[in-house]
Amino acid sequence: MATSSKADGAADNMSGVRHVVLILSGKGGVGKSTVAAQLALALRQAGKKVGILDVDLCGPSIPRMFDVEGHDVHQCPGGWVPVYPDQDQRLALMSIGFLLQNRDDAVVWRGPKKNAMIKQFIGDVVWGELDYLIIDTPPGTSDEHISVVENVRQYHPDGAVLVTTPQGVAVGDVRRELTFCRKTKLPVLGVIENMSGFVCPHCTECTNVFSKGGGEALANQFNVPFLGCVPLDPQLTRSLEEGQRFVDAFPTSTTAQAIGRVAQTLLRTGGQQETMDTS
């Protein structure tokens, strides 16, 4: 539950955020941003107001996934106004990609400047009332992750969703991410096995291209929930490239339904936390 323990009278831009969920993985290329984007859309589809904070400073991809590259971030008296890709403003986005003059500009920063940027993102974005804030992180367990965890700790985040692919190399790196969560006392909401099989666009049969079961075995090993398998889907790839909303466009696809089940699990978990907070 994202309630702040701040004692001062300063404006708190996170005060209206009810749930904070981090998307983590120790491995690059496993689809964290894809999962973050589609999970946010699934929660929005469930009637929630959702924000995505993209703290992958060196590889921001959220603006392209929502077809809002080139949009400007505006200032208001309270701070930065997020970018809204929808007319009813039920989905809010913030990314360093909106602050770059050119999409091909490289962010060549050392740790302290990255940490300052993340702190500013968390404290200075005027989110307003949000049911969920999804934080999309870069791979690894480095400065950015420590900075994110330290800056959101006062808002009592729900926890982290860890993304892996079935291969042993990826699972090994995500195992280190689970250790990171334990060391930083960040709750683990569960593990998603992404790219788990390939869904044929013609017959919808799912073939296990990269093997299967690594994510579930990892979740069992660490005694954390397994949130399910999300298969590869050419329609999802095309939707991301074109900035379309996959879960809205293909609600009956196996991949969209898998993402929807993860979203429903988060909603149940969030509801249970709210019940405990009010009891």
Side-chain angles (χ1 to χ4, degrees), residues 193-199 206 229-233 236 254-256 258:
E193 184 175 295
N194 196 29
M195 306 184 196
S196 182
F198 170 76
V199 176
C206 186
C229 297
V230 178
L232 289 163
D233 190 328
L236 173 57
T254 303
T255 300

Side-chain angles (χ1 to χ4, degrees), residues 49-240:
K49 190 171 182 181
V50 187
I52 302 179
L53 175 57
D54 180 3
V55 297
D56 192 346
L57 303 181
C58 296
S61 53
I62 292 299
R64 180 172 181 177
M65 288 183 175
F66 288 92
D67 196 26
V68 288
E69 283 185 307
H71 286 227
D72 294 325
V73 172
H74 300 285
Q75 288 272 1
C76 72
W80 285 339
V81 179
V83 172
Y84 295 95
D86 56 345
Q87 290 186 347
D88 57 359
Q89 296 191 351
R90 297 192 63 81
L91 182 63
L93 311 176
M94 180 53 68
S95 169
I96 198 171
F98 298 129
L99 307 179
L100 301 177
Q101 292 184 344
N102 187 302
R103 62 181 288 184
D104 296 326
D105 286 345
V107 177
V108 187
W109 291 351
R110 295 187 185 275
K113 193 166 184 179
K114 289 182 178 181
N115 296 341
M117 184 79 260
I118 289 171
K119 184 177 181 179
Q120 191 169 3
F121 271 155
I122 293 173
D124 291 358
V125 178
V126 184
W127 296 108
E129 296 293 325
L130 284 184
D131 293 300
Y132 282 87
L133 177 62
I134 307 295
I135 302 181
D136 181 27
T137 68
T141 56
S142 57
D143 284 355
E144 292 98 320
H145 306 80
I146 297 171
S147 182
V148 169
V149 171
E150 288 179 346
N151 281 281
V152 301
R153 193 183 304 280
Q154 62 185 310
Y155 304 107
H156 310 294
D158 293 37
V161 171
L162 277 73
V163 182
T164 186
T165 51
Q167 307 98 307
V169 172
V171 170
D173 287 339
V174 177
R175 185 178 291 111
R176 299 183 188 95
E177 198 78 35
L178 280 163
T179 304
F180 168 84
C181 291
R182 286 186 172 178
K183 287 185 176 180
T184 58
K185 295 180 172 57
L186 178 66
V188 176
L189 298 175
V191 175
I192 294 175
E193 184 175 295
N194 196 29
M195 306 184 196
S196 182
F198 170 76
V199 176
C200 175
H202 304 293
C203 68
T204 69
E205 181 181 353
C206 186
T207 303
N208 295 322
V209 180
F210 301 128
S211 75
K212 187 178 178 66
E216 185 170 9
L218 179 64
N220 291 335
Q221 178 186 350
F222 278 79
N223 196 29
V224 298
F226 179 62
L227 299 177
C229 297
V230 178
L232 289 163
D233 190 328
Q235 294 172 326
L236 173 57
T237 303
R238 186 164 56 251
S239 297
L240 292 171

Side-chain angles (χ1 to χ4, degrees), residues 235-236 238-239 244-253 256-257:
Q235 294 172 326
L236 173 57
R238 186 164 56 251
S239 297
Q244 297 179 348
R245 299 174 188 172
F246 170 75
V247 297
D248 292 336
F250 304 99
T252 61
S253 73
Q257 290 178 356

